[in-house]
Amino acid sequence: MTITELNRKQTAYKNKLKKIERFVNAFQAIDGTKDYIELTSKLNSINDILKEQGNLQNDYCALPDKVELNNSLDILSDMEEDAKKFKVSILVFLSKYEEQKKENAKLSPKNHIKLPDLPLPTFSGKFQEFENFKTQFMSVIGNNDSLNESQKLLYLKSALKNEAALIQSDQDNFDSLLKALENRYENIRALVDIHIAGILSINKLHSENPSQIRSLIDTVRNHMRSLKNLKLESNSLSDAIILHVLNNKIDKESQRLFQLSLTTTQVPSLQILSFVFRSKMHSTRISH
C-alpha cells in the first residue's frame, strides 16, 4: 500500500472521529433506549477505529526508507488520543443510566436493557498516571450528582492502592483527600524528571531486533508527547541531545545506516521517530 493510500485511510478515520466528536459535544439524553443504543454504537465505532489505527501504524512502518512520512505518525498519535478521550466521555454518558436502569428494573423488569458495568479507575502512586486517573475518576464518580460526599469519599479511598493509599487519613473528607492527592502528584518537576529519565534509561540494543526497536520507538514517542503536554517544547539543543542518546542505544549496524542517511554535516532536527524508523525498517527487511 502506498503512502497516498495510507494517508487517505487516515483521513477517513479522522473524519469518523470528527463525527463522533460532534455527537459527544451535542449529546442530550432524550430517549433512554435510543440513547443507549446510539452510545453503544459510537463506543463500538471508537474501539474499531483504535484497532484500525494500530494496523495503520504498522502499514506506515512497512513503507520503504525513501518514503517521507512527514507528520503522518504524529497525526495518527493525535487521533488515538482524541479517540480515547471520546471513549471516556461516552462511558461517562453510559454510566449515568445506572440509576435509571435500577428504576426501570423495578417498574418493567422484562423490558429492561442491561447496561455494562464500568470498572472503577485505580491509582497506585505513579506520578505519570495521576492525571489520567483523576480525569476518569471525576467523570465517573467525582462529578456524579447522584452520589453524596461520603459515597464519593468511599469510592476514592477504594480506588487508591499501594503507595497512594498511604496519603489518606481518618479525618479526610472527599475534597480534602482529593486536594492532598493533587498536591502530592500534580508535580510538574517530578513528571519532567520521570520522562527524561525514561528516555535516558532506555536499554541499549545489541542486535537488529525489530520488536525491540519498535519498543524503543513507542517509549520515546510516549515520553516526548508527555513532555509536550507539560508545555515543554523541543528545540535544536534538545533535539541534538536526544538524537545523541538514541544513537548510542541502537545497534552498530543501525548506527551506521543512520550516519549514512545524513546528507549534511549539520545537526539533524528532532526527526527522532524518522531516525529510529529507518533502523527499524532495515531490521524488519532483514528479518524477512
Side-chain angles (χ1 to χ4, degrees):
M1 190 171 291
T2 66
I3 184 69
T4 301
E5 292 172 325
L6 292 178
N7 286 340
R8 285 174 182 166
K9 289 182 67 174
Q10 184 184 83
T11 300
Y13 294 139
K14 190 172 184 179
N15 290 335
K16 289 182 179 180
L17 281 178
K18 287 182 179 179
K19 291 181 179 179
I20 293 175
E21 180 180 19
R22 289 195 292 269
F23 171 85
V24 170
N25 291 337
F27 179 78
Q28 290 184 339
I30 299 176
D31 182 317
T33 302
K34 181 181 178 182
D35 293 340
Y36 174 73
I37 293 173
E38 287 184 342
L39 288 168
T40 303
S41 175
K42 297 299 182 185
L43 183 61
N44 291 335
S45 295
I46 290 177
N47 288 332
D48 290 341
I49 291 173
L50 287 171
K51 180 180 178 180
E52 290 302 319
Q53 283 178 334
N55 295 333
L56 190 58
Q57 179 173 327
N58 291 336
D59 290 338
Y60 275 121
C61 294
L63 292 172
D65 285 344
K66 63 182 180 180
V67 176
E68 291 294 336
L69 297 177
N70 296 323
N71 61 344
S72 296
L73 292 168
D74 289 332
I75 293 175
L76 198 61
S77 182
D78 290 338
M79 288 168 57
E80 181 180 5
E81 182 174 314
D82 288 339
K84 290 179 178 179
K85 180 177 67 176
F86 301 150
K87 181 175 181 178
V88 169
S89 297
I90 290 176
L91 288 173
V92 171
F93 290 145
L94 286 171
S95 72
K96 294 179 180 179
Y97 287 85
E98 288 298 316
E99 288 301 318
Q100 182 180 348
K101 178 185 70 171
K102 294 177 182 178
E103 292 299 321
N104 289 344
K106 296 176 183 177
L107 299 174
S108 181
K110 293 183 179 179
N111 296 326
H112 176 66
I113 297 176
K114 179 174 175 56
L115 299 177
D117 293 327
L118 293 175
L120 185 69
T122 60
F123 177 60
S124 61
K126 294 183 179 180
F127 282 86
Q128 62 270 37
E129 296 177 357
F130 179 71
E131 192 62 32
N132 187 50
F133 161 76
K134 178 183 172 184
T135 299
Q136 293 188 36
F137 184 88
M138 292 304 294
S139 296
V140 177
I141 302 297
N143 296 328
N144 191 331
D145 295 333
S146 67
L147 299 174
N148 60 40
E149 295 301 298
S150 296
Q151 291 171 320
K152 293 178 182 179
L153 176 61
L154 288 174
Y155 277 118
L156 181 54
K157 285 186 174 182
S158 68
L160 301 179
K161 309 296 181 183
N162 302 333
E163 179 186 326
L166 301 177
I167 202 170
Q168 59 185 295
S169 72
D170 294 335
Q171 289 72 43
D172 273 319
N173 57 36
F174 175 71
D175 288 335
S176 67
L177 180 53
L178 181 62
K179 186 65 176 177
L181 289 168
E182 291 171 342
N183 290 339
R184 175 74 175 91
Y185 293 105
E186 288 184 344
N187 186 325
I188 294 179
R189 184 182 69 254
L191 288 171
V192 170
D193 287 345
I194 288 170
H195 292 301
I196 292 177
I199 294 174
L200 296 178
S201 63
I202 294 174
N203 292 330
K204 181 175 177 60
L205 307 184
H206 297 287
S207 62
E208 297 169 293
N209 186 309
S211 64
Q212 290 182 358
I213 291 183
R214 172 143 192 168
S215 177
L216 184 148
I217 293 167
D218 291 340
T219 298
V220 174
R221 283 178 62 87
N222 289 340
H223 286 304
M224 292 302 297
R225 185 172 188 81
S226 296
L227 289 170
K228 184 176 181 179
N229 289 338
L230 292 171
K231 311 302 181 185
L232 291 180
E233 299 290 342
S234 61
N235 56 37
S236 56
L237 176 59
S238 65
D239 288 358
I241 293 173
I242 294 174
L243 281 171
H244 176 78
V245 170
L246 293 180
N247 190 44
N248 286 297
K249 296 294 185 180
I250 58 176
D251 59 278
K252 292 185 180 297
E253 178 61 16
S254 295
Q255 288 177 356
R256 185 183 69 82
L257 288 175
F258 172 56
Q259 294 300 323
L260 289 175
S261 72
L262 303 179
T263 57
T264 72
T265 58
Q266 298 298 313
V267 176
S269 60
L270 188 54
Q271 303 276 339
I272 296 180
L273 300 177
S274 222
F275 141 60
V276 182
F277 268 89
R278 286 181 180 276
S279 302
K280 179 182 183 301
M281 295 310 135
H282 174 71
S283 300
T284 302
R285 286 198 298 273
I286 290 179
S287 67
H288 291 304

PDB file of all heavy atoms in Angstrom, residues 110-138:
ATOM      1  N   LYS A 110     -39.032  -6.897  32.686  1.00  0.00           N
ATOM      2  CA  LYS A 110     -38.964  -7.712  31.480  1.00  0.00           C
ATOM      3  C   LYS A 110     -38.427  -6.943  30.290  1.00  0.00           C
ATOM      4  O   LYS A 110     -37.822  -7.509  29.389  1.00  0.00           O
ATOM      5  CB  LYS A 110     -40.359  -8.253  31.146  1.00  0.00           C
ATOM      6  CG  LYS A 110     -40.873  -9.264  32.169  1.00  0.00           C
ATOM      7  CD  LYS A 110     -42.219  -9.805  31.748  1.00  0.00           C
ATOM      8  CE  LYS A 110     -42.741 -10.830  32.754  1.00  0.00           C
ATOM      9  NZ  LYS A 110     -44.072 -11.346  32.348  1.00  0.00           N
ATOM     10  N   ASN A 111     -38.693  -5.615  30.278  1.00  0.00           N
ATOM     11  CA  ASN A 111     -38.253  -4.807  29.137  1.00  0.00           C
ATOM     12  C   ASN A 111     -36.938  -4.093  29.404  1.00  0.00           C
ATOM     13  O   ASN A 111     -36.512  -3.268  28.611  1.00  0.00           O
ATOM     14  CB  ASN A 111     -39.331  -3.760  28.794  1.00  0.00           C
ATOM     15  CG  ASN A 111     -40.613  -4.425  28.333  1.00  0.00           C
ATOM     16  OD1 ASN A 111     -40.586  -5.463  27.697  1.00  0.00           O
ATOM     17  ND2 ASN A 111     -41.750  -3.815  28.679  1.00  0.00           N
ATOM     18  N   HIS A 112     -36.332  -4.391  30.551  1.00  0.00           N
ATOM     19  CA  HIS A 112     -35.119  -3.662  30.939  1.00  0.00           C
ATOM     20  C   HIS A 112     -33.907  -4.103  30.113  1.00  0.00           C
ATOM     21  O   HIS A 112     -33.703  -5.288  29.875  1.00  0.00           O
ATOM     22  CB  HIS A 112     -34.850  -3.901  32.419  1.00  0.00           C
ATOM     23  CG  HIS A 112     -33.582  -3.270  32.890  1.00  0.00           C
ATOM     24  ND1 HIS A 112     -33.395  -1.921  32.930  1.00  0.00           N
ATOM     25  CD2 HIS A 112     -32.430  -3.830  33.330  1.00  0.00           C
ATOM     26  CE1 HIS A 112     -32.187  -1.656  33.381  1.00  0.00           C
ATOM     27  NE2 HIS A 112     -31.587  -2.793  33.628  1.00  0.00           N
ATOM     28  N   ILE A 113     -33.119  -3.124  29.684  1.00  0.00           N
ATOM     29  CA  ILE A 113     -31.874  -3.397  28.949  1.00  0.00           C
ATOM     30  C   ILE A 113     -30.721  -3.351  29.933  1.00  0.00           C
ATOM     31  O   ILE A 113     -30.542  -2.352  30.643  1.00  0.00           O
ATOM     32  CB  ILE A 113     -31.643  -2.357  27.832  1.00  0.00           C
ATOM     33  CG1 ILE A 113     -32.771  -2.442  26.807  1.00  0.00           C
ATOM     34  CG2 ILE A 113     -30.301  -2.598  27.155  1.00  0.00           C
ATOM     35  CD1 ILE A 113     -32.661  -1.393  25.727  1.00  0.00           C
ATOM     36  N   LYS A 114     -29.949  -4.405  30.004  1.00  0.00           N
ATOM     37  CA  LYS A 114     -28.817  -4.435  30.932  1.00  0.00           C
ATOM     38  C   LYS A 114     -27.675  -3.604  30.368  1.00  0.00           C
ATOM     39  O   LYS A 114     -27.206  -3.840  29.263  1.00  0.00           O
ATOM     40  CB  LYS A 114     -28.344  -5.878  31.158  1.00  0.00           C
ATOM     41  CG  LYS A 114     -27.135  -5.964  32.095  1.00  0.00           C
ATOM     42  CD  LYS A 114     -26.789  -7.396  32.407  1.00  0.00           C
ATOM     43  CE  LYS A 114     -25.510  -7.479  33.238  1.00  0.00           C
ATOM     44  NZ  LYS A 114     -25.595  -6.696  34.480  1.00  0.00           N
ATOM     45  N   LEU A 115     -27.239  -2.627  31.149  1.00  0.00           N
ATOM     46  CA  LEU A 115     -26.139  -1.763  30.734  1.00  0.00           C
ATOM     47  C   LEU A 115     -24.820  -2.328  31.254  1.00  0.00           C
ATOM     48  O   LEU A 115     -24.788  -2.999  32.288  1.00  0.00           O
ATOM     49  CB  LEU A 115     -26.344  -0.347  31.282  1.00  0.00           C
ATOM     50  CG  LEU A 115     -27.612   0.357  30.804  1.00  0.00           C
ATOM     51  CD1 LEU A 115     -27.724   1.725  31.469  1.00  0.00           C
ATOM     52  CD2 LEU A 115     -27.609   0.511  29.306  1.00  0.00           C
ATOM     53  N   PRO A 116     -23.721  -2.052  30.563  1.00  0.00           N
ATOM     54  CA  PRO A 116     -22.432  -2.586  31.018  1.00  0.00           C
ATOM     55  C   PRO A 116     -21.974  -1.917  32.305  1.00  0.00           C
ATOM     56  O   PRO A 116     -22.192  -0.724  32.522  1.00  0.00           O
ATOM     57  CB  PRO A 116     -21.486  -2.235  29.850  1.00  0.00           C
ATOM     58  CG  PRO A 116     -22.115  -1.053  29.199  1.00  0.00           C
ATOM     59  CD  PRO A 116     -23.600  -1.271  29.327  1.00  0.00           C
ATOM     60  N   ASP A 117     -21.354  -2.699  33.204  1.00  0.00           N
ATOM     61  CA  ASP A 117     -20.783  -2.145  34.430  1.00  0.00           C
ATOM     62  C   ASP A 117     -19.443  -1.491  34.099  1.00  0.00           C
ATOM     63  O   ASP A 117     -18.633  -2.037  33.359  1.00  0.00           O
ATOM     64  CB  ASP A 117     -20.568  -3.252  35.467  1.00  0.00           C
ATOM     65  CG  ASP A 117     -21.883  -3.839  35.955  1.00  0.00           C
ATOM     66  OD1 ASP A 117     -22.861  -3.076  36.023  1.00  0.00           O
ATOM     67  OD2 ASP A 117     -21.922  -5.052  36.245  1.00  0.00           O
ATOM     68  N   LEU A 118     -19.219  -0.318  34.685  1.00  0.00           N
ATOM     69  CA  LEU A 118     -17.973   0.402  34.441  1.00  0.00           C
ATOM     70  C   LEU A 118     -16.975   0.101  35.560  1.00  0.00           C
ATOM     71  O   LEU A 118     -17.296   0.283  36.738  1.00  0.00           O
ATOM     72  CB  LEU A 118     -18.238   1.913  34.390  1.00  0.00           C
ATOM     73  CG  LEU A 118     -19.080   2.408  33.222  1.00  0.00           C
ATOM     74  CD1 LEU A 118     -19.347   3.898  33.379  1.00  0.00           C
ATOM     75  CD2 LEU A 118     -18.391   2.133  31.914  1.00  0.00           C
ATOM     76  N   PRO A 119     -15.773  -0.354  35.222  1.00  0.00           N
ATOM     77  CA  PRO A 119     -14.780  -0.601  36.267  1.00  0.00           C
ATOM     78  C   PRO A 119     -14.309   0.710  36.879  1.00  0.00           C
ATOM     79  O   PRO A 119     -14.134   1.711  36.181  1.00  0.00           O
ATOM     80  CB  PRO A 119     -13.638  -1.300  35.514  1.00  0.00           C
ATOM     81  CG  PRO A 119     -13.781  -0.829  34.097  1.00  0.00           C
ATOM     82  CD  PRO A 119     -15.259  -0.652  33.875  1.00  0.00           C
ATOM     83  N   LEU A 120     -14.122   0.724  38.191  1.00  0.00           N
ATOM     84  CA  LEU A 120     -13.656   1.922  38.873  1.00  0.00           C
ATOM     85  C   LEU A 120     -12.167   2.101  38.610  1.00  0.00           C
ATOM     86  O   LEU A 120     -11.388   1.166  38.791  1.00  0.00           O
ATOM     87  CB  LEU A 120     -13.903   1.789  40.374  1.00  0.00           C
ATOM     88  CG  LEU A 120     -13.571   3.011  41.245  1.00  0.00           C
ATOM     89  CD1 LEU A 120     -14.552   4.134  40.941  1.00  0.00           C
ATOM     90  CD2 LEU A 120     -13.622   2.647  42.710  1.00  0.00           C
ATOM     91  N   PRO A 121     -11.738   3.287  38.151  1.00  0.00           N
ATOM     92  CA  PRO A 121     -10.301   3.501  37.930  1.00  0.00           C
ATOM     93  C   PRO A 121      -9.540   3.423  39.241  1.00  0.00           C
ATOM     94  O   PRO A 121     -10.067   3.772  40.305  1.00  0.00           O
ATOM     95  CB  PRO A 121     -10.244   4.909  37.324  1.00  0.00           C
ATOM     96  CG  PRO A 121     -11.492   5.571  37.782  1.00  0.00           C
ATOM     97  CD  PRO A 121     -12.533   4.491  37.847  1.00  0.00           C
ATOM     98  N   THR A 122      -8.323   2.960  39.197  1.00  0.00           N
ATOM     99  CA  THR A 122      -7.486   2.855  40.396  1.00  0.00           C
ATOM    100  C   THR A 122      -6.184   3.624  40.200  1.00  0.00           C
ATOM    101  O   THR A 122      -5.764   3.880  39.068  1.00  0.00           O
ATOM    102  CB  THR A 122      -7.164   1.391  40.723  1.00  0.00           C
ATOM    103  OG1 THR A 122      -6.458   0.798  39.613  1.00  0.00           O
ATOM    104  CG2 THR A 122      -8.436   0.601  40.992  1.00  0.00           C
ATOM    105  N   PHE A 123      -5.537   3.960  41.331  1.00  0.00           N
ATOM    106  CA  PHE A 123      -4.287   4.716  41.268  1.00  0.00           C
ATOM    107  C   PHE A 123      -3.343   4.165  42.328  1.00  0.00           C
ATOM    108  O   PHE A 123      -3.691   4.084  43.512  1.00  0.00           O
ATOM    109  CB  PHE A 123      -4.554   6.198  41.519  1.00  0.00           C
ATOM    110  CG  PHE A 123      -3.314   7.049  41.537  1.00  0.00           C
ATOM    111  CD1 PHE A 123      -2.490   7.130  40.425  1.00  0.00           C
ATOM    112  CD2 PHE A 123      -2.961   7.764  42.671  1.00  0.00           C
ATOM    113  CE1 PHE A 123      -1.339   7.903  40.437  1.00  0.00           C
ATOM    114  CE2 PHE A 123      -1.818   8.547  42.692  1.00  0.00           C
ATOM    115  CZ  PHE A 123      -1.006   8.613  41.578  1.00  0.00           C
ATOM    116  N   SER A 124      -2.128   3.784  41.897  1.00  0.00           N
ATOM    117  CA  SER A 124      -1.179   3.142  42.807  1.00  0.00           C
ATOM    118  C   SER A 124      -0.029   4.041  43.239  1.00  0.00           C
ATOM    119  O   SER A 124       0.837   3.601  43.992  1.00  0.00           O
ATOM    120  CB  SER A 124      -0.611   1.885  42.141  1.00  0.00           C
ATOM    121  OG  SER A 124       0.078   2.225  40.951  1.00  0.00           O
ATOM    122  N   GLY A 125      -0.001   5.295  42.745  1.00  0.00           N
ATOM    123  CA  GLY A 125       1.024   6.218  43.208  1.00  0.00           C
ATOM    124  C   GLY A 125       2.074   6.591  42.188  1.00  0.00           C
ATOM    125  O   GLY A 125       3.073   7.233  42.540  1.00  0.00           O
ATOM    126  N   LYS A 126       1.868   6.236  40.918  1.00  0.00           N
ATOM    127  CA  LYS A 126       2.813   6.636  39.878  1.00  0.00           C
ATOM    128  C   LYS A 126       2.445   8.026  39.378  1.00  0.00           C
ATOM    129  O   LYS A 126       1.324   8.244  38.918  1.00  0.00           O
ATOM    130  CB  LYS A 126       2.800   5.633  38.725  1.00  0.00           C
ATOM    131  CG  LYS A 126       3.326   4.261  39.106  1.00  0.00           C
ATOM    132  CD  LYS A 126       3.348   3.326  37.911  1.00  0.00           C
ATOM    133  CE  LYS A 126       3.903   1.956  38.289  1.00  0.00           C
ATOM    134  NZ  LYS A 126       3.930   1.031  37.136  1.00  0.00           N
ATOM    135  N   PHE A 127       3.396   8.958  39.464  1.00  0.00           N
ATOM    136  CA  PHE A 127       3.129  10.351  39.100  1.00  0.00           C
ATOM    137  C   PHE A 127       2.535  10.470  37.705  1.00  0.00           C
ATOM    138  O   PHE A 127       1.592  11.230  37.485  1.00  0.00           O
ATOM    139  CB  PHE A 127       4.426  11.169  39.174  1.00  0.00           C
ATOM    140  CG  PHE A 127       4.828  11.548  40.569  1.00  0.00           C
ATOM    141  CD1 PHE A 127       5.571  10.680  41.354  1.00  0.00           C
ATOM    142  CD2 PHE A 127       4.470  12.776  41.103  1.00  0.00           C
ATOM    143  CE1 PHE A 127       5.947  11.021  42.649  1.00  0.00           C
ATOM    144  CE2 PHE A 127       4.841  13.141  42.391  1.00  0.00           C
ATOM    145  CZ  PHE A 127       5.579  12.248  43.170  1.00  0.00           C
ATOM    146  N   GLN A 128       3.097   9.724  36.761  1.00  0.00           N
ATOM    147  CA  GLN A 128       2.703   9.873  35.363  1.00  0.00           C
ATOM    148  C   GLN A 128       1.299   9.339  35.082  1.00  0.00           C
ATOM    149  O   GLN A 128       0.752   9.565  33.999  1.00  0.00           O
ATOM    150  CB  GLN A 128       3.717   9.201  34.430  1.00  0.00           C
ATOM    151  CG  GLN A 128       3.875   7.705  34.618  1.00  0.00           C
ATOM    152  CD  GLN A 128       4.945   7.326  35.624  1.00  0.00           C
ATOM    153  OE1 GLN A 128       5.109   8.007  36.630  1.00  0.00           O
ATOM    154  NE2 GLN A 128       5.665   6.252  35.353  1.00  0.00           N
ATOM    155  N   GLU A 129       0.712   8.621  36.042  1.00  0.00           N
ATOM    156  CA  GLU A 129      -0.620   8.057  35.834  1.00  0.00           C
ATOM    157  C   GLU A 129      -1.716   8.855  36.535  1.00  0.00           C
ATOM    158  O   GLU A 129      -2.901   8.572  36.348  1.00  0.00           O
ATOM    159  CB  GLU A 129      -0.655   6.601  36.330  1.00  0.00           C
ATOM    160  CG  GLU A 129       0.265   5.667  35.552  1.00  0.00           C
ATOM    161  CD  GLU A 129       0.270   4.257  36.114  1.00  0.00           C
ATOM    162  OE1 GLU A 129      -0.402   4.036  37.150  1.00  0.00           O
ATOM    163  OE2 GLU A 129       0.952   3.388  35.534  1.00  0.00           O
ATOM    164  N   PHE A 130      -1.337   9.859  37.339  1.00  0.00           N
ATOM    165  CA  PHE A 130      -2.335  10.534  38.160  1.00  0.00           C
ATOM    166  C   PHE A 130      -3.341  11.338  37.343  1.00  0.00           C
ATOM    167  O   PHE A 130      -4.542  11.320  37.621  1.00  0.00           O
ATOM    168  CB  PHE A 130      -1.658  11.453  39.186  1.00  0.00           C
ATOM    169  CG  PHE A 130      -2.658  12.196  40.035  1.00  0.00           C
ATOM    170  CD1 PHE A 130      -3.413  11.532  40.993  1.00  0.00           C
ATOM    171  CD2 PHE A 130      -2.871  13.564  39.868  1.00  0.00           C
ATOM    172  CE1 PHE A 130      -4.349  12.206  41.763  1.00  0.00           C
ATOM    173  CE2 PHE A 130      -3.802  14.241  40.631  1.00  0.00           C
ATOM    174  CZ  PHE A 130      -4.546  13.558  41.594  1.00  0.00           C
ATOM    175  N   GLU A 131      -2.871  12.066  36.339  1.00  0.00           N
ATOM    176  CA  GLU A 131      -3.766  12.937  35.586  1.00  0.00           C
ATOM    177  C   GLU A 131      -4.867  12.132  34.899  1.00  0.00           C
ATOM    178  O   GLU A 131      -6.045  12.526  34.910  1.00  0.00           O
ATOM    179  CB  GLU A 131      -2.972  13.748  34.553  1.00  0.00           C
ATOM    180  CG  GLU A 131      -3.764  14.894  33.931  1.00  0.00           C
ATOM    181  CD  GLU A 131      -4.216  15.936  34.936  1.00  0.00           C
ATOM    182  OE1 GLU A 131      -3.502  16.167  35.931  1.00  0.00           O
ATOM    183  OE2 GLU A 131      -5.314  16.496  34.754  1.00  0.00           O
ATOM    184  N   ASN A 132      -4.472  11.016  34.313  1.00  0.00           N
ATOM    185  CA  ASN A 132      -5.463  10.170  33.643  1.00  0.00           C
ATOM    186  C   ASN A 132      -6.438   9.571  34.660  1.00  0.00           C
ATOM    187  O   ASN A 132      -7.656   9.513  34.416  1.00  0.00           O
ATOM    188  CB  ASN A 132      -4.757   9.050  32.877  1.00  0.00           C
ATOM    189  CG  ASN A 132      -5.713   8.238  32.034  1.00  0.00           C
ATOM    190  OD1 ASN A 132      -6.508   8.784  31.269  1.00  0.00           O
ATOM    191  ND2 ASN A 132      -5.649   6.928  32.166  1.00  0.00           N
ATOM    192  N   PHE A 133      -5.906   9.138  35.807  1.00  0.00           N
ATOM    193  CA  PHE A 133      -6.772   8.606  36.875  1.00  0.00           C
ATOM    194  C   PHE A 133      -7.765   9.663  37.348  1.00  0.00           C
ATOM    195  O   PHE A 133      -8.962   9.392  37.474  1.00  0.00           O
ATOM    196  CB  PHE A 133      -5.929   8.136  38.060  1.00  0.00           C
ATOM    197  CG  PHE A 133      -6.724   8.000  39.342  1.00  0.00           C
ATOM    198  CD1 PHE A 133      -7.577   6.919  39.528  1.00  0.00           C
ATOM    199  CD2 PHE A 133      -6.639   8.969  40.333  1.00  0.00           C
ATOM    200  CE1 PHE A 133      -8.329   6.797  40.694  1.00  0.00           C
ATOM    201  CE2 PHE A 133      -7.385   8.869  41.498  1.00  0.00           C
ATOM    202  CZ  PHE A 133      -8.231   7.775  41.683  1.00  0.00           C
ATOM    203  N   LYS A 134      -7.282  10.858  37.588  1.00  0.00           N
ATOM    204  CA  LYS A 134      -8.147  11.929  38.088  1.00  0.00           C
ATOM    205  C   LYS A 134      -9.263  12.241  37.096  1.00  0.00           C
ATOM    206  O   LYS A 134     -10.427  12.413  37.484  1.00  0.00           O
ATOM    207  CB  LYS A 134      -7.318  13.185  38.365  1.00  0.00           C
ATOM    208  CG  LYS A 134      -8.133  14.381  38.855  1.00  0.00           C
ATOM    209  CD  LYS A 134      -7.255  15.599  39.033  1.00  0.00           C
ATOM    210  CE  LYS A 134      -8.090  16.842  39.328  1.00  0.00           C
ATOM    211  NZ  LYS A 134      -7.263  18.059  39.423  1.00  0.00           N
ATOM    212  N   THR A 135      -8.904  12.328  35.809  1.00  0.00           N
ATOM    213  CA  THR A 135      -9.910  12.628  34.783  1.00  0.00           C
ATOM    214  C   THR A 135     -11.006  11.575  34.764  1.00  0.00           C
ATOM    215  O   THR A 135     -12.205  11.893  34.752  1.00  0.00           O
ATOM    216  CB  THR A 135      -9.243  12.709  33.399  1.00  0.00           C
ATOM    217  OG1 THR A 135      -8.278  13.771  33.402  1.00  0.00           O
ATOM    218  CG2 THR A 135     -10.279  12.973  32.317  1.00  0.00           C
ATOM    219  N   GLN A 136     -10.609  10.305  34.773  1.00  0.00           N
ATOM    220  CA  GLN A 136     -11.592   9.230  34.724  1.00  0.00           C
ATOM    221  C   GLN A 136     -12.410   9.160  36.008  1.00  0.00           C
ATOM    222  O   GLN A 136     -13.636   8.980  35.970  1.00  0.00           O
ATOM    223  CB  GLN A 136     -10.891   7.892  34.475  1.00  0.00           C
ATOM    224  CG  GLN A 136     -10.249   7.783  33.103  1.00  0.00           C
ATOM    225  CD  GLN A 136      -9.730   6.382  32.822  1.00  0.00           C
ATOM    226  OE1 GLN A 136     -10.325   5.396  33.227  1.00  0.00           O
ATOM    227  NE2 GLN A 136      -8.599   6.290  32.128  1.00  0.00           N
ATOM    228  N   PHE A 137     -11.742   9.318  37.149  1.00  0.00           N
ATOM    229  CA  PHE A 137     -12.455   9.213  38.424  1.00  0.00           C
ATOM    230  C   PHE A 137     -13.474  10.339  38.573  1.00  0.00           C
ATOM    231  O   PHE A 137     -14.616  10.106  39.007  1.00  0.00           O
ATOM    232  CB  PHE A 137     -11.462   9.247  39.593  1.00  0.00           C
ATOM    233  CG  PHE A 137     -12.126   9.041  40.930  1.00  0.00           C
ATOM    234  CD1 PHE A 137     -12.313   7.753  41.419  1.00  0.00           C
ATOM    235  CD2 PHE A 137     -12.583  10.110  41.677  1.00  0.00           C
ATOM    236  CE1 PHE A 137     -12.956   7.549  42.648  1.00  0.00           C
ATOM    237  CE2 PHE A 137     -13.220   9.917  42.895  1.00  0.00           C
ATOM    238  CZ  PHE A 137     -13.400   8.628  43.380  1.00  0.00           C
ATOM    239  N   MET A 138     -13.082  11.553  38.226  1.00  0.00           N
ATOM    240  CA  MET A 138     -14.004  12.678  38.356  1.00  0.00           C
ATOM    241  C   MET A 138     -15.175  12.528  37.393  1.00  0.00           C
ATOM    242  O   MET A 138     -16.305  12.917  37.708  1.00  0.00           O
ATOM    243  CB  MET A 138     -13.269  13.997  38.110  1.00  0.00           C
ATOM    244  CG  MET A 138     -12.254  14.350  39.192  1.00  0.00           C
ATOM    245  SD  MET A 138     -12.957  14.418  40.856  1.00  0.00           S
ATOM    246  CE  MET A 138     -14.061  15.838  40.686  1.00  0.00           C
TER     247      MET A 138
END
